[in-house]
Amino acid sequence: MASKDADPSLGYLTRKDTEVKLPRPTRVKNKTPAPIQITAEQILREARERQEAEIRPPKQKITDPTELADYRLRKRKEFEDLIRRVRWNQSVWIKYAQWEESQKDFNRARSVWERALEVDYRNHTLWLKYAEVEMKNKFINHARNVWDRAVTLLPRVDQLWYKYIHMEEMLGNVAGARQIFERWMSWMPDQQGWLSYIKFELRYNEVERARAIYERFVQCHPKVGAWIRYAKFEMKNGEIVRARNVYERAVEKLADEEDAEQLFVAFAEFEERCKETERARCIYKFALDHIPKGSAEDLYRKFVAFEKQYGDKEGIEDAIVGKRRFQYEDEFRKNPLNYDAWFDYIRLEESVGSKGRIREVYERAIANVPPAEEKRYWQRYIYLWINYALYEELDAGDMERTRDVYRECLKLIPHEKFSFAKIWLLAAQFEIRQLNLMGARQILGNAIGKAPKDKIFKKYIEIELQLGNIDRCRKLYEKYLEWAPENCYAWSKYAELERSLAETERARAIFELAITQPALDMPELLWKAYIDFEISEGEYERTRGLYERLLDRTKHLKVWISYANFEASAMEENDESSDLPQDGVEEYNHEAKKECVQRARRVFERAVNYYRTSAPELKEERAMLLEEWLKTESSFGELGDISIVQSKLPKKLKKRKQITSEDGGVTGYEEYFDYVFPEENQATNLKILEAAYKWKKQKITSDDE
């Protein structure tokens, strides 16, 4: 009974039975080198010496015809048996035929060759060997017969034709070789076959025949290389007119081919060798105009070299410009949205000065609209339009085209997503230069309606202000503030306009309206402008009221200092604006100065009290305020009292604090300055006394116990 582990796929053997048992690797205990070392060379030499001699068959000497016949019969039987086994093996047939040839039995050899060709007549090696045997043994007619049959059956094997023609030429049969060439040409072989025929005719000085073959050659192979060879053949024979005619025919037929560049270069070099520099220059220029820029690199290089050799300064510059044009065109094929390259290309064309080409390049450049409607993609592109308009206006002097450029540009920009104030302003300024004020107003009005911007409002207001249209300026400021009510600059400028017109109440009303806006971008500038306005008008009470209102909104350090400085400067204003009689001026001024000092001091005291009680953490601001107060008291002269401030000045202490990392560990210490004010010092002293008293009380209690 078979074992349970037996596997039918293994002949009912177990896996263990079928395992390959490899010998265990021997462990080398002694790894020290042997005293006598054996090299690989010694091993090979010993193997060579012990090798047994090669067994060679004995040499057989044939002494009579009977033995020769037996030998031949035996060898033929071997070859025939081998052929029966491997009939398709051509090497067996070749050895059999060559053996028969070595026995000088040519009929049998031919029979073997014919039998081999019946097996595989498409094998051109058999034909070559067969014909070579006939030629070697000087059977010329037999060889001709073999070659003729070979080229008839295999007309596309060029080697057969070459060998056949070579044999006839070696025999001096030129007419026969020509006839074979004609048979071959009827099959329209490749270029090398035609060139061999031409060389054959030239070897026998048959120039006219060679020319006729060239005509057939270029018809069979209408390639650039074939035409160039034909033209060089004519040039070599001194036929310049014929060569030029060949080149002209080639240009007519192949001007649109991919490799036309090679033809034009060869044609131009031919004219250059013939000292026809003008013809060569015309050919180069014609080629550069008709060949795609991407495939004309060699042509540009040759043209530049030609101009450097034969041209004048203008021609050389033109050639160099042409080369740079090619480089730019190549760049635009790779990336048409490279606007920096377009700018360089336009500058190049402007240096040449051809209006037609400049306009063409501008039109091609602006046709490459950025694919995405995002402003960052358009920022370089829009300058193409600007430069185009400026060129038309300043260089070309065509105002209608300039107007059209601006109009098309403004149509193209997606104003609902983004816009460019620069374009609107340039278009409006152009119309002003053309004395078309209505056109400029219309452009700026459209700009405000479609894409309002700060720059547009400012420029439009500036234009109307220069023209003296105050009502238009007011309307524009109103539009401006409707669009951007948080813009403090607009409010300030509007009020400044009214003030310049001596409309004080209107200016004050504008400022009042501005400071009541819920959101402002720079409120400090607006308040400063309003305060400066009231000071300039001499309205000190109104100014104080403004400072108080401002302090209701913010208690910033700068506001306190500005308020105090205002009160201190009011003394100078009183001094300057006093118009009392001479005898009472000094007394009045002294009283007024005292009052100003008291007011400034009250503002400083309010500020210090605020920082002490409401914002004790702002120590640095409080210290700065006291420093400013000290300077102000010093500036008052004999009316000032520095001691008031000095008693409130803080001490500046350098302290250290720990720097903690994210995980809560201490990474180091940081130095900083802290301010200790006098009242804090007193509080610290009181705490020390209280602690000492408490300690003494505890000590007395413990002693009693």
Side-chain angles (χ1 to χ4, degrees):
M1 189 173 177
S3 173
K4 291 182 181 179
D5 298 333
D7 190 351
S9 64
L10 300 175
Y12 292 98
L13 296 173
T14 62
R15 293 280 179 185
K16 190 173 183 181
D17 295 336
T18 57
E19 284 180 357
V20 179
K21 295 180 180 179
L22 297 174
R24 289 179 64 186
T26 57
R27 294 181 63 187
V28 180
K29 295 181 179 178
N30 185 8
K31 295 185 179 180
T32 58
I36 301 172
Q37 296 291 318
I38 301 173
T39 62
E41 182 184 356
Q42 191 176 348
I43 294 169
L44 292 172
R45 193 184 301 116
E46 287 180 4
R48 176 75 177 171
E49 287 171 358
R50 294 178 185 182
Q51 193 173 4
E52 294 181 359
E54 185 182 353
I55 300 172
R56 295 181 180 178
K59 290 185 180 180
Q60 185 179 4
K61 291 185 179 180
I62 299 171
T63 56
D64 58 4
T66 306
E67 288 184 3
L68 179 61
D70 288 344
Y71 166 72
R72 285 177 174 173
L73 181 63
R74 190 170 62 252
K75 285 293 286 184
R76 284 179 182 133
K77 187 173 183 304
E78 288 175 4
F79 276 120
E80 291 294 339
D81 290 343
L82 194 58
I83 284 169
R84 274 195 296 275
R85 285 201 305 273
V86 285
R87 189 166 180 264
W88 46 268
N89 193 338
Q90 62 175 358
S91 63
V92 176
W93 289 102
I94 291 170
K95 287 178 182 177
Y96 189 7
Q98 288 174 345
W99 181 82
E100 291 290 0
E101 180 198 355
S102 67
Q103 300 300 312
K104 303 298 181 184
D105 195 344
F106 297 110
N107 287 329
R108 282 185 177 275
R110 288 189 190 104
S111 174
V112 173
W113 285 116
E114 293 295 337
R115 287 167 62 197
L117 289 172
E118 284 180 3
V119 173
D120 186 12
Y121 75 92
R122 290 188 180 86
N123 191 339
H124 67 280
T125 308
L126 289 174
W127 290 103
L128 290 171
K129 299 279 187 184
Y130 188 8
E132 283 173 3
V133 168
E134 298 289 6
M135 290 165 62
K136 185 167 66 175
N137 294 288
K138 299 183 180 179
F139 296 114
I140 304 302
N141 286 330
H142 281 286
R144 279 196 183 112
N145 184 23
V146 172
W147 287 125
D148 197 75
R149 289 164 59 202
V151 298
T152 303
L153 291 172
L154 302 173
R156 293 297 178 192
V157 181
D158 294 345
Q159 194 176 4
L160 298 174
W161 292 101
Y162 285 127
K163 293 279 188 180
Y164 191 7
I165 292 163
H166 180 66
M167 185 192 78
E168 294 293 352
E169 195 172 358
M170 294 298 290
L171 294 171
N173 186 10
V174 178
R178 187 176 288 122
Q179 190 176 359
I180 296 164
F181 264 123
E182 288 295 333
R183 283 178 61 191
W184 189 15
M185 294 307 111
S186 66
W187 287 98
M188 294 186 179
D190 60 3
Q191 292 193 18
Q192 196 56 44
W194 288 95
L195 296 175
S196 300
Y197 191 8
I198 291 164
K199 287 177 184 176
F200 166 77
E201 294 292 358
L202 291 176
R203 279 199 295 273
Y204 299 101
N205 295 322
E206 295 287 348
V207 178
E208 287 299 325
R209 285 180 179 274
R211 186 174 288 122
I213 296 166
Y214 262 121
E215 287 290 341
R216 292 162 60 195
F217 174 37
V218 296
Q219 297 300 324
C220 180
H221 295 283
K223 303 289 183 186
V224 169
W227 285 98
I228 291 173
R229 284 179 182 274
Y230 187 9
K232 286 182 178 178
F233 160 75
E234 295 290 3
M235 185 68 181
K236 189 176 180 182
N237 290 297
E239 298 286 345
I240 294 174
V241 177
R242 286 178 181 273
R244 185 175 288 123
N245 184 36
V246 170
Y247 276 121
E248 288 171 356
R249 287 165 57 198
V251 168
E252 287 178 8
K253 292 187 177 182
L254 305 176
D256 297 330
E257 293 292 323
E258 289 183 1
D259 50 356
E261 179 192 13
Q262 186 183 354
L263 174 64
F264 283 113
V265 169
F267 193 5
E269 288 177 347
F270 160 75
E271 295 291 358
E272 192 177 338
R273 283 193 294 272
C274 297
K275 310 298 182 186
E276 295 283 351
T277 54
E278 284 303 318
R279 282 178 175 269
R281 185 175 287 110
C282 290
I283 291 164
Y284 276 124
K285 289 184 177 179
F286 177 82
L288 291 173
D289 289 339
H290 286 78
I291 291 179
K293 300 294 185 291
S295 57
E297 186 174 355
D298 187 48
L299 187 67
Y300 271 114
R301 191 172 62 254
K302 298 273 186 179
F303 182 39
V304 171
F306 170 80
E307 287 293 350
K308 286 180 180 177
Q309 186 174 358
Y310 298 103
D312 52 6
K313 182 180 177 182
E314 185 179 348
I316 294 170
E317 287 179 356
D318 188 39
I320 293 170
V321 167
K323 186 176 181 181
R324 289 177 63 191
R325 280 192 190 115
F326 162 74
Q327 292 170 352
Y328 286 128
E329 293 291 343
D330 187 47
E331 177 68 27
F332 298 143
R333 264 196 315 280
K334 295 175 186 174
N335 181 16
L337 299 177
N338 186 352
Y339 299 122
D340 291 327
W342 281 111
F343 286 123
D344 295 339
Y345 193 10
I346 290 163
R347 276 196 293 273
L348 173 68
E349 293 296 349
E350 286 179 348
S351 67
V352 176
S354 173
K355 283 187 181 181
R357 286 193 70 90
I358 294 168
R359 282 174 175 156
E360 179 193 348
V361 176
Y362 267 121
E363 291 293 338
R364 287 174 57 199
I366 61 179
N368 295 296
V369 181
E373 290 186 350
E374 293 182 31
K375 190 166 185 176
R376 60 195 176 100
Y377 296 118
W378 287 64
Q379 283 172 339
R380 291 294 291 159
Y381 169 72
I382 209 69
Y383 277 94
L384 288 170
W385 286 95
I386 293 171
N387 289 357
Y388 189 11
L390 293 175
Y391 166 76
E392 290 291 354
E393 182 184 359
L394 302 177
D395 294 346
D398 193 337
M399 303 308 160
E400 284 303 318
R401 283 183 72 92
T402 308
R403 192 171 282 116
D404 292 339
V405 170
Y406 280 124
R407 189 182 301 119
E408 291 302 319
C409 178
L410 290 171
K411 279 184 187 176
L412 183 66
I413 298 170
H415 298 291
E416 64 277 0
K417 294 187 177 179
F418 59 86
S419 187
F420 293 92
K422 195 176 194 70
I423 289 289
W424 292 105
L425 296 177
L426 285 171
Q429 287 166 350
F430 164 74
E431 295 294 350
I432 291 171
R433 286 194 294 274
Q434 304 307 310
L435 305 179
N436 183 10
L437 194 57
M438 290 301 295
R441 281 180 175 148
Q442 185 177 2
I443 290 169
L444 291 171
N446 288 337
I448 290 171
K450 290 183 178 179
K453 284 180 173 288
D454 286 329
K455 285 184 181 178
I456 296 172
F457 277 112
K458 290 174 185 176
K459 195 66 182 177
Y460 196 1
I461 291 166
E462 182 186 340
I463 291 169
E464 294 294 354
L465 196 58
Q466 288 173 351
L467 295 171
N469 294 321
I470 304 303
D471 290 337
R472 282 183 179 274
C473 291
R474 284 178 175 146
K475 286 180 182 177
L476 287 171
Y477 271 120
E478 289 170 8
K479 291 280 186 185
Y480 193 180
L481 293 169
E482 282 178 15
W483 173 67
E486 74 284 352
N487 192 328
C488 292
Y489 172 84
W491 288 106
S492 301
K493 285 292 179 181
Y494 191 9
E496 187 181 331
L497 170 69
E498 296 295 353
R499 184 188 167 198
S500 66
L501 299 171
E503 294 283 353
T504 307
E505 290 303 320
R506 288 178 70 95
R508 188 173 285 120
I510 291 166
F511 275 124
E512 285 293 336
L513 191 59
I515 62 176
T516 57
Q517 295 299 315
L520 293 169
D521 54 0
M522 289 186 292
E524 65 278 4
L525 295 182
L526 185 64
W527 280 94
K528 185 178 182 306
Y530 192 7
I531 289 167
D532 290 345
F533 163 73
E534 294 293 3
I535 292 172
S536 65
E537 293 295 324
E539 297 286 348
Y540 298 123
E541 289 302 322
R542 286 181 180 274
T543 307
R544 289 187 186 96
L546 282 175
Y547 271 118
E548 293 296 336
R549 289 164 66 188
L550 182 55
L551 286 171
D552 290 340
R553 295 192 178 199
T554 177
K555 298 289 194 299
H556 196 275
L557 173 66
K558 288 185 178 180
V559 178
W560 289 109
I561 292 173
S562 176
Y563 190 8
N565 288 337
F566 157 71
E567 293 293 4
S569 64
M571 176 181 68
E572 297 173 8
E573 294 293 333
N574 286 334
D575 190 17
E576 292 173 3
S577 62
S578 179
D579 54 356
L580 291 173
Q582 187 65 31
D583 53 351
V585 167
E586 290 182 5
E587 185 181 351
Y588 179 82
N589 281 345
H590 188 71
E591 292 298 326
K593 286 177 183 178
K594 273 188 178 181
E595 187 179 352
C596 290
V597 169
Q598 292 300 325
R599 282 180 176 169
R601 201 171 280 151
R602 279 198 295 273
V603 172
F604 277 121
E605 286 174 353
R606 283 176 62 194
V608 170
N609 288 334
Y610 165 75
Y611 282 115
R612 187 175 63 248
T613 57
S614 300
E617 70 279 359
L618 301 176
K619 292 185 177 182
E620 190 172 354
E621 284 79 356
R622 184 177 169 188
M624 290 169 65
L625 180 69
L626 289 168
E627 288 291 334
E628 187 66 29
W629 189 2
L630 185 63
K631 289 179 186 176
T632 308
E633 290 289 349
S634 301
S635 66
F636 287 150
E638 60 181 15
L639 295 177
D641 188 359
I642 300 173
S643 60
I644 298 174
V645 186
Q646 285 177 338
S647 63
K648 299 183 180 187
L649 287 175
K651 288 183 180 179
K652 192 175 183 181
L653 302 176
K654 184 187 284 188
K655 293 185 178 181
R656 289 199 310 166
K657 65 179 179 181
Q658 290 181 348
I659 301 173
T660 55
S661 60
E662 293 179 358
D663 55 357
V666 179
T667 58
Y669 291 90
E670 180 186 11
E671 289 187 348
Y672 70 100
F673 287 100
D674 193 13
Y675 296 92
V676 178
F677 291 92
E679 65 270 13
E680 291 179 354
N681 224 344
Q682 291 174 5
T684 308
N685 293 336
L686 287 172
K687 286 180 182 177
I688 292 170
L689 289 171
E690 186 180 347
Y693 177 73
K694 191 175 181 181
W695 172 79
K696 188 176 181 181
K697 189 176 180 182
Q698 286 177 353
K699 189 177 180 183
I700 291 168
T701 307
S702 61
D703 289 344
D704 292 342
E705 288 176 358

